[in-house]
C-alpha cells in the first residue's frame, strides 16, 4: 500500500459499514461480550459472570485472539472526532435509527447521508489501522478497511 494511494470513498465506507454491522457483532459474541459492553468509554473485557461451565482451552485461545480486535474497535470509536463518535456509537453500538441519531447531531438529514456518515466511516478506517497495532492484534488478523482505487 502506498501512503498516498487514492481511496475509493464510497467502497471504503461500505466496507466499514459491513464490518461494523455484520462481522463485528459475531466477534463480540465469540469473546463473550455484547454491544452494551462498548458503550462505556472504559472497556473491560473481564467476564461479568460465570455460567458454571469450564471453558475448553481452544475457546480461551480463540477469545484471547478476538479480544484485541474488540478493544481496537472500542478505542477507534472513542478516538474519532466528536461528530463521528456520535454517529458510530448511535448507529453501530446503540442500534439507533437514523432519525434518533439526527436528534444527537446539529445537522440536517441530507448532510448526514452525504457528508457526516461517510466521513465517520472513513475516519474509523483511518484510526482502526493504528489501534489494531496498538492493541496487539495478531498480524495475521490485522485488516485494512480501506478500498483503494
Amino acid at each position: 500500500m502506498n501512503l498516498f494511494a487514492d481511496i475509493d470513498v464510497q467502497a471504503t465506507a461500505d466496507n466499514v459499514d459491513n464490518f461494523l454491522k455484520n462481522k463485528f457483532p459475531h466477534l463480540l459474541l465469540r469473546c463473550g461480550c455484547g454491544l452494551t459492553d462498548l458503550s462505556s468509554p472504559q472497556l473491560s473485557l473481564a467476564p461479568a459472570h460465570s455460567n458454571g461451565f469450564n471453558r475448553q482451552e481452544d475457546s480461551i485461545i480463540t477469545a484471547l485472539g478476538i479480544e484485541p480486535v474488540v478493544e481496537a474497535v472500542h478505542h477507534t470509536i472513542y478516538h474519532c472526532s466528536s461528530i463521528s463518535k456520535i454517529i458510530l456509537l448511535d448507529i453501530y453500538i446503540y442500534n439507533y435509527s437514523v432519525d434518533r441519531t439526527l436528534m444527537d447531531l446539529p445537522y440536517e438529514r441530507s448532510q448526514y447521508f452525504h457528508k457526516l456518515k461517510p466521513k465517520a466511516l472513513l475516519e474509523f478506517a483511518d484510526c482502526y489501522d493504528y489501534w489494531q497495532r496498538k492493541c496487539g492484534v495478531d498480524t495475521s488478523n490485522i485488516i485494512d478497511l480501506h478500498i483503494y482505487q
Side-chain angles (χ1 to χ4, degrees):
M1 168 193 81
N2 180 337
L3 287 177
F4 302 104
D6 290 330
I7 294 172
D8 184 326
V9 173
Q10 186 60 49
T12 299
D14 290 344
N15 196 35
V16 173
D17 181 69
N18 179 53
F19 173 76
L20 291 173
K21 274 187 183 171
N22 300 318
K23 295 180 179 163
F24 186 61
H26 295 291
L27 295 174
L28 282 170
L29 291 173
R30 290 183 65 196
C31 75
C33 296
L35 288 173
T36 56
D37 296 324
L38 298 180
S39 62
S40 169
Q42 297 297 325
L43 175 67
S44 173
L45 292 173
H49 57 81
S50 172
N51 61 7
F53 295 105
N54 290 329
R55 292 189 171 205
Q56 295 183 10
E57 186 175 346
D58 59 345
S59 66
I60 292 171
I61 291 169
T62 299
L64 290 175
I66 294 170
E67 284 181 1
V69 175
V70 171
E71 186 179 0
V73 170
H74 176 266
H75 286 298
T76 300
I77 291 172
Y78 279 94
H79 285 88
C80 285
S81 66
S82 60
I83 296 297
S84 294
K85 182 174 17 178
I86 289 169
I87 291 168
L88 294 168
L89 286 171
D90 281 7
I91 298 297
Y92 300 103
I93 305 303
Y94 302 134
N95 288 317
Y96 288 167
S97 67
V98 171
D99 291 326
R100 172 59 184 86
T101 299
L102 286 169
M103 292 169 57
D104 293 338
L105 299 171
Y107 294 95
E108 297 291 326
R109 184 180 193 84
S110 62
Q111 288 183 312
Y112 172 81
F113 287 108
H114 298 293
K115 181 180 174 186
L116 300 174
K117 187 176 180 189
K119 179 186 178 290
L121 294 170
L122 287 174
E123 193 174 333
F124 182 91
D126 291 344
C127 292
Y128 191 57
D129 278 349
Y130 170 78
W131 283 105
Q132 286 180 94
R133 289 165 180 77
K134 181 77 173 173
C135 293
V137 173
D138 186 80
T139 54
S140 64
N141 292 329
I142 289 178
I143 58 170
D144 184 0
L145 293 171
H146 296 95
I147 304 295
Y148 299 94
Q149 293 181 349

